[in-house]
């Protein structure tokens, strides 16, 4: 039995790339106030996987998500979705397709829902910009989307403040699902929730993935949750991707010192371990990039890391040990 | 542990909401010992915040202590009628750090001015003396270049630094008890770890008694000497940190621990508690968790369980501890936590 399960959980060899981000940079402001929020980031997301993006507050996670769904313009680089470039100037037709097929669930369930609109309107808002549909079809689709996230049809006539945190987050999920997307960007979908509601929302996301073959970009700073649901995890620090690997690989062999610091800081619900744990502190001044410049390199199959020649040599030693 | 610094006896707190009465705390008792670190955990809405707010006279205007006592230094705080009486306790004796540091800071005043204010008010220092104390407090909470930083406004600080400032203000008042309500929820793990270790250092330096409220059981494992588990306005289990993590007895505690992603199996659904917590507008009958507990006993629906003692430091309100009750084992995930612990990183 256990062997069987491992086979099922393993990634197929020929993974189909759904989304590619290549050398993407995003800047805010101009001149003296120019701020580079995302710096030359590259990664692929495979069809059907849950891809995690983790990093400290302000590291650029939400900005990347917003760039993929075309809310934030990119300064340079490419975003390729199903083989087509979708950033920068694109045809209206392609823009429509992207708007429908890629959906985002926003960070704060309290702030992201329009307080004065009824659930019915909130959930079907995205349909308004698409092709015309009859009122009956619209209602049916709202009802279906609500039931998929475990909410009753009569909730459609209520206002957001009449729901608990977990229910509000489900409304956000229903609003994304109604578009029948292939790809969902979930930005901290659970951080505002308590333990038991968190489990409900995570289970819901994974059921939907199985039923519909959805692909997720899961943004979070809760590494315990990410370990549980992500197939692969990318670590970002101040706008730079520093490491990317399959989840268990990353936990077993973290290479970049920032990844190591992050993993060592995860609070473990186990007092015997937690009270004796050793924190690794990340000091960015340890990198000397004055001559030997860093690169984004595949150091072993599927394991990317950011480092210069000297650091990469050290990481290779660490992998051998 | 020494003698209790704060004793709560049979506390009942109610709220009036559009003509209906909500029974938020149902007969809660607790002894808080000097120098200890107590964590309060429990479902959203179980009464954690209401409980600690009542120690500082900070209940919303539609809420009141219906009966019971809160004894601090031999005095019953529930007898306080005037805001002036509370001012002697609030901040001075018992201080609180909230989840969102922005709500506790004034955006229009410099960081230095806000800390000075607290020092002048609570330590009676003035002028240059107060300024020096302010700089030393900033250093205490790990803010480098305090001279420059003191002149800045809250929006010029990152989230983690703001939370340090709120802690600085709380500690500047030299309180006996420091209450932290979700102090690190908005922060990422590396900064969270720094703040927790900061609170621990200050606790030792000033012999503080601390209460933490958090949903993150990892944080609890890190900071707590003792844990109180709340459900529907009641403490259903309380014990030493190790007793609650490794030898819990109440079915709600089991359910809480089972929902941890660290105990889940990848690719399988995570345990989740079904149903919803009881409506506190209605009278709760029996064990409040019974309707959501698939293994509830008949008596759980009829009679409220008393506390049964598991050890001198550990007790739980569940009929399962009655000698006549059938033997029901905790779920496998919870047993595994005791025998194997959770995985960390290599
Ligand atoms: N519209 C904007 N104008 C100027 N700066 C911005 C804008 N949006 C984001 N930034 C800046 O870009 C950086 C990255 O922000 P982003 O919201 O992507 O961070 P994040 O990783 O999602 O953080 P968090 O975990 O706190 O949500 C931050 O320094 C932020 O202040
Ligand atoms: N001002 C108020 N008016 C009416 N009911 C209130 C008021 N404040 C709190 N309550 C109710 O009292 C109960 C306990 O609330 P409390 O804020 O203490 O929960 P909590 O355990 O801190 O939850 P969370 O983990 O979500 O912060 C809840 O049912 C809440 O709805
Ligand atoms: Mg964000
Ligand atoms: Mg609370």
């Amino acid at each position: 039995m256990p062997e069987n399960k491992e086979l099922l959980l393993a990634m197929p060899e020929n993974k189909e790339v759904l989304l590619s981000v290549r050398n993407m940079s995003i800047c805010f402001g101009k001149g003296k106030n120019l701020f580079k929020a995302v710096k030359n980031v590259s990664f692929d997301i495979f069809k059907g996987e849950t891809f995690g993006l983790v990093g400290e507050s302000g590291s650029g996670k939400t900005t990347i998500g917003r760039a993929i769904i075309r809310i934030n313009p990119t300064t340079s680089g490419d975003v390729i979705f199903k083989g087509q470039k979708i950033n920068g100037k694109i045809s209206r037709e392609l823009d429509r397709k992207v708007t429908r097929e890629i959906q985002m669930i926003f960070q704060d369930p309290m702030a992201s829902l329009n307080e004065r609109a009824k659930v019915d309107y909130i959930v079907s808002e995205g349909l308004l910009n698409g092709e015309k549909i009859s009122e009956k079809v619209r209602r049916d689709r709202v009802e279906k989307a609500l039931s998929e996230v475990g909410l009753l049809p009569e909730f459609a006539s209520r206002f957001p403040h009449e729901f608990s945190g977990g229910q509000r987050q489900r409304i956000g999920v229903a609003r994304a699902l109604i578009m029948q997307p292939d790809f969902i960007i979930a930005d901290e979908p659970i951080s505002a929730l308590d333990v038991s509601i968190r489990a409900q929302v995570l289970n819901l996301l994974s059921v939907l993935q199985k039923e519909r073959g959805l692909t997720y970009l899961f943004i979070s700073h809760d590494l315990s949750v990410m370990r549980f649901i992500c197939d692969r995890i990318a670590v970002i620090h101040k706008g730079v991707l520093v490491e990317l690997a399959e989840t268990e690989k990353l936990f077993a062999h973290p290479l970049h010192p920032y990844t190591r610091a992050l993993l060592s800081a995860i609070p473990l619900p186990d007092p015997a371990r937690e009270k004796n744990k050793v924190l690794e502190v990340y000091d960015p001044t340890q990198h000397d990039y004055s001559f030997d410049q860093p690169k984004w390199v595949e150091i072993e199959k599927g394991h990317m890391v950011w480092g210069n020649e000297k650091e990469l040599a050290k990481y290779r030693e660490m992998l051998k040990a | 542990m020494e003698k209790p610094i704060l004793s709560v006896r049979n506390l009942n707190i109610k709220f009036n909401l559009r003509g209906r009465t909500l029974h938020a705390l149902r007969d809660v008792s607790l002894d808080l010992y000097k120098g200890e670190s107590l964590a309060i955990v429990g479902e959203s809405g179980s009464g954690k915040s209401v409980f600690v707010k009542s120690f500082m006279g900070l209940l919303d205007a539609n809420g009141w202590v219906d009966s019971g006592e809160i004894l601090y230094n031999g005095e019953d705080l529930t007898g306080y009628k005037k805001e002036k009486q509370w001012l002697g306790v609030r901040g001075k004796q018992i201080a609180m750090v909230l989840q969102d540091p922005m709500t506790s800071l004034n955006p229009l005043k410099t960081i230095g001015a806000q800390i000075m204010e607290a020092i002048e008010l609570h330590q009676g220092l003035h002028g240059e003396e107060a300024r020096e104390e302010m700089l030393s407090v900033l250093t205490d909470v790990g803010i480098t270049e305090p001279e420059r930083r003191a002149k800045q406004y809250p929006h010029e600080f990152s989230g983690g630094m703001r939370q340090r400032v709120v802690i600085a203000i709380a500690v500047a008042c030299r309180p006996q008890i420091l209450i932290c309500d979700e102090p690190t929820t908005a922060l990422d793990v590396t900064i969270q770890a720094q703040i927790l270790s900061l609170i621990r250092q200050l606790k030792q330096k000033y012999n503080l008694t601390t209460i933490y409220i958090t949903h993150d059981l990892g944080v609890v494992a890190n900071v707590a000497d003792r844990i109180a588990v709340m459900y529907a306005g009641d403490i259903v289990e309380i014990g030493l940190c190790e007793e609650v993590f490794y030898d819990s007895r109440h079915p709600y505690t089991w359910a809480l621990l089972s929902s941890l992603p660290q105990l889940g199996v990848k690719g399988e659904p995570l345990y989740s508690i079904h149903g919803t917590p009881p409506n506190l507008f209605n009278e709760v009958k029996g064990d409040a968790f019974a309707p959501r507990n698939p293994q509830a006993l008949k008596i759980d629906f009829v009679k409220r369980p008393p506390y049964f003692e598991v050890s001198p430091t550990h007790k739980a309100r569940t009929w399962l501890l009655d000698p006549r009750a059938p033997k029901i084992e905790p779920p496998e995930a919870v047993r595994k936590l005791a025998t194997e612990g959770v995985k960390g990183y290599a």
Side-chain angles (χ1 to χ4, degrees):
Chain A
M1 277 307 273
E3 284 160 17
N4 233 332
K5 192 154 147 199
E6 267 178 27
L7 277 178
L8 282 174
L9 286 175
M11 272 285 194
E13 272 306 304
N14 300 316
K15 295 166 242 181
E16 186 186 331
V17 174
L18 183 74
L19 180 99
S20 275
V21 171
R22 283 290 167 275
N23 307 105
M24 183 170 80
S25 295
I26 300 168
C27 300
F28 293 110
K30 280 204 184 80
K32 208 170 104 257
N33 293 321
L34 185 83
F35 175 70
K36 269 194 150 183
V38 176
K39 299 167 195 161
N40 206 18
V41 159
S42 299
F43 59 88
D44 289 330
I45 298 182
F46 302 125
K47 194 165 183 304
E49 78 167 333
T50 301
F51 182 91
L53 184 58
V54 65
E56 69 185 347
S57 186
S59 57
K61 306 182 294 295
T62 300
T63 303
I64 290 176
R66 289 165 56 98
I68 294 171
I69 58 163
R70 302 176 52 78
I71 299 179
N72 282 343
T74 51
T75 307
S76 60
D78 293 323
V79 181
I80 316 279
F81 180 64
K82 296 186 177 170
Q84 276 178 300
K85 179 172 153 78
I86 58 163
N87 61 324
K89 279 220 158 47
I90 59 172
S91 70
R92 269 191 65 178
E93 200 184 330
L94 183 57
D95 182 62
R96 260 197 193 171
K97 177 177 142 91
V98 172
T99 312
R100 191 179 68 72
E101 295 184 1
I102 309 181
Q103 289 291 311
M104 187 152 172
I105 301 171
F106 290 92
Q107 193 154 359
D108 181 357
M110 295 305 165
S112 65
L113 302 180
N114 178 351
E115 281 302 327
R116 280 178 301 190
K118 287 189 177 157
V119 168
D120 181 55
Y121 176 82
I122 293 174
V123 169
S124 60
E125 197 176 13
L127 295 174
L128 300 176
N129 302 318
E131 39 199 288
K132 290 258 173 303
I133 50 167
S134 71
E135 174 63 10
K136 174 162 181 339
V137 171
R138 191 191 66 83
R139 275 177 192 272
D140 285 350
R141 286 178 67 175
V142 169
E143 188 166 318
K144 182 155 168 280
L146 288 177
S147 88
E148 269 171 332
V149 299
L151 296 175
L152 300 171
E154 62 249 39
F155 287 1
S157 59
R158 292 213 210 153
F159 291 96
H161 69 261
E162 297 169 358
F163 294 94
S164 75
Q167 288 172 325
R168 295 170 67 109
Q169 196 52 277
R170 284 159 185 259
I171 295 171
V173 178
R175 177 189 156 89
L177 282 180
I178 200 166
M179 303 300 287
Q180 301 181 302
D182 301 316
F183 180 45
I184 293 185
I185 302 172
D187 191 0
E188 306 264 8
I190 46 159
S191 27
L193 307 175
D194 83 7
V195 186
S196 60
I197 301 171
R198 189 178 288 185
Q200 288 170 16
V201 174
L202 287 176
N203 289 341
L204 171 68
L205 290 175
S206 97
V207 166
L208 292 170
Q209 180 167 52
K210 279 191 199 120
E211 285 175 355
R212 299 190 169 192
L214 289 177
T215 306
Y216 294 125
L217 168 57
F218 191 92
I219 298 174
S220 178
H221 53 229
D222 186 337
L223 274 155
S224 306
V225 167
M226 295 182 91
R227 185 180 203 176
F228 180 70
I229 67 154
C230 293
D231 299 300
R232 294 188 302 146
I233 295 179
V235 181
I236 184 170
H237 183 257
K238 296 207 191 315
V240 179
L241 281 192
V242 298
E243 194 158 0
L244 189 169
E246 282 179 18
T247 303
E248 282 312 309
K249 173 74 73 55
L250 191 81
F251 275 81
H253 302 288
L255 296 174
H256 195 278
Y258 179 65
T259 311
R260 301 182 63 87
L262 211 53
L263 296 184
S264 79
I266 302 174
L268 300 170
D270 183 349
R273 293 194 67 140
E274 188 60 24
K275 292 209 163 94
N276 299 307
K277 82 169 170 188
V278 185
L279 280 180
E280 290 189 28
V281 177
Y282 176 51
D283 175 10
T285 65
Q286 68 187 257
H287 306 288
D288 178 7
Y289 290 156
S290 47
F291 294 105
D292 189 358
Q293 304 270 318
K295 286 185 302 235
W296 183 229
V297 177
E298 184 166 21
I299 194 155
E300 57 176 334
K301 200 169 174 309
H303 190 166
M304 307 289 296
V305 68
W306 177 251
N308 62 17
E309 285 308 328
K310 196 170 155 216
E311 289 170 334
L312 293 172
K314 192 178 84 191
Y315 298 156
R316 284 191 193 99
E317 284 306 309
M318 286 165 69
L319 284 172
K320 271 189 227 152
Chain B
M1 273 185 256
E2 307 167 26
K3 61 179 193 330
I5 179 168
L6 183 90
S7 263
V8 181
R9 294 272 163 269
N10 305 99
L11 189 65
N12 282 279
I13 291 180
K14 294 184 176 171
F15 286 93
N16 188 330
L17 207 60
R18 294 192 281 271
R20 297 210 294 160
T21 305
L22 180 142
H23 200 162
L25 283 194
R26 304 182 299 120
D27 220 26
V28 178
S29 299
L30 172 78
D31 282 328
L32 185 68
Y33 297 97
K34 184 148 180 57
E36 80 165 327
S37 164
L38 174 79
I40 305 181
V41 300
E43 193 147 279
S44 187
S46 59
K48 306 179 295 292
S49 298
V50 163
F51 188 38
V52 296
K53 279 186 193 166
S54 71
F55 307 163
M56 297 177 70
L58 288 176
L59 289 181
D60 293 332
N62 61 331
W64 69 95
V65 172
D66 203 60
S67 62
E69 299 175 330
I70 303 171
L71 299 170
Y72 178 78
N73 276 341
E75 221 179 317
D76 184 4
L77 301 183
T78 64
Y80 283 8
K81 294 283 176 288
K82 295 197 202 82
E83 197 55 17
K84 214 175 140 201
Q85 292 173 294
W86 279 114
L87 289 181
V89 174
R90 204 181 292 154
K92 261 197 170 66
Q93 304 288 333
I94 308 178
M96 185 129 99
V97 174
L98 297 171
Q99 173 169 2
D100 180 5
M102 250 351 218
T103 58
S104 321
L105 294 174
N106 182 339
L108 302 178
K109 284 190 183 162
T110 64
I111 297 290
Q114 299 188 51
I115 300 177
M116 293 252 292
E117 240 169 56
I119 291 170
E120 286 168 2
L121 189 68
H122 294 289
Q123 292 180 35
L125 298 177
H126 292 281
E128 194 50 29
E129 262 184 334
R131 218 182 85 81
E132 261 166 33
E133 175 67 14
M134 179 269 289
L135 293 174
S136 108
V137 170
L138 273 177
T139 312
D140 259 359
V141 296
I143 297 215
T144 51
E145 301 181 79
E147 298 264 3
R148 184 172 72 86
R149 288 300 190 172
K151 295 193 196 103
Q152 293 185 323
Y153 291 87
H155 73 265
E156 297 174 80
F157 278 44
S158 77
M161 281 162 67
R162 276 183 222 137
Q163 195 60 294
R164 286 165 189 261
V165 171
V166 174
I167 293 169
I169 292 174
V171 173
C173 308
R174 296 277 184 277
Q176 295 292 310
I177 302 175
L178 178 68
I179 300 172
C180 304
D181 194 347
E182 306 271 5
T184 57
T185 315
L187 307 173
D188 56 281
V189 286
T190 50
I191 298 179
Q192 168 173 281
Q194 291 166 13
I195 299 245
L196 294 179
S197 93
L198 166 68
I199 297 178
R200 208 185 346 249
Q201 284 164 22
L202 294 173
K203 180 172 176 298
Q204 273 182 352
K205 183 163 175 190
Y206 298 113
N207 192 23
L208 283 170
T209 307
T210 48
I211 301 180
Y212 285 86
I213 298 178
T214 171
H215 289 300
D216 188 334
L217 293 174
V219 171
V220 173
N222 184 292
V223 301
D225 300 323
R226 259 191 335 148
I227 302 173
V229 182
M230 291 191 68
Y231 188 78
D234 189 16
I235 294 177
V236 294
E237 180 156 9
I238 183 165
L240 299 178
C241 186
E242 286 72 17
E243 290 173 323
V244 173
F245 271 100
Y246 301 140
D247 187 24
S248 57
R249 301 305 177 105
H250 197 283
Y252 173 69
T253 314
W254 294 347
L256 188 67
L257 292 171
S258 304
S259 343
L260 284 168
Q262 291 91 341
L263 298 178
V265 178
K266 203 162 182 156
E268 287 176 20
L270 198 55
Y271 177 86
S272 77
I273 309 173
H274 40 234
T276 49
N279 182 345
L280 296 174
F281 284 112
N282 302 331
E283 194 199 334
V284 176
K285 242 185 146 193
D287 181 329
F289 188 60
R292 304 175 80 184
N293 176 9
Q295 291 177 300
L297 309 174
K298 268 192 191 138
I299 189 167
D300 281 328
F301 294 92
V302 183
K303 199 165 172 210
R304 187 181 198 181
Y307 283 111
F308 291 92
E309 193 169 275
V310 181
S311 81
T313 48
H314 183 192
K315 60 186 182 174
R317 243 193 221 281
T318 166
W319 286 115
L320 289 181
L321 290 172
D322 188 289
R324 292 161 295 179
K327 194 153 173 50
I328 292 180
E329 290 284 329
E332 197 195 325
V334 173
R335 290 200 306 258
K336 241 173 93 180
L337 178 60
T339 52
E340 296 168 26
V342 300
K343 312 181 271 193
Y345 90 106

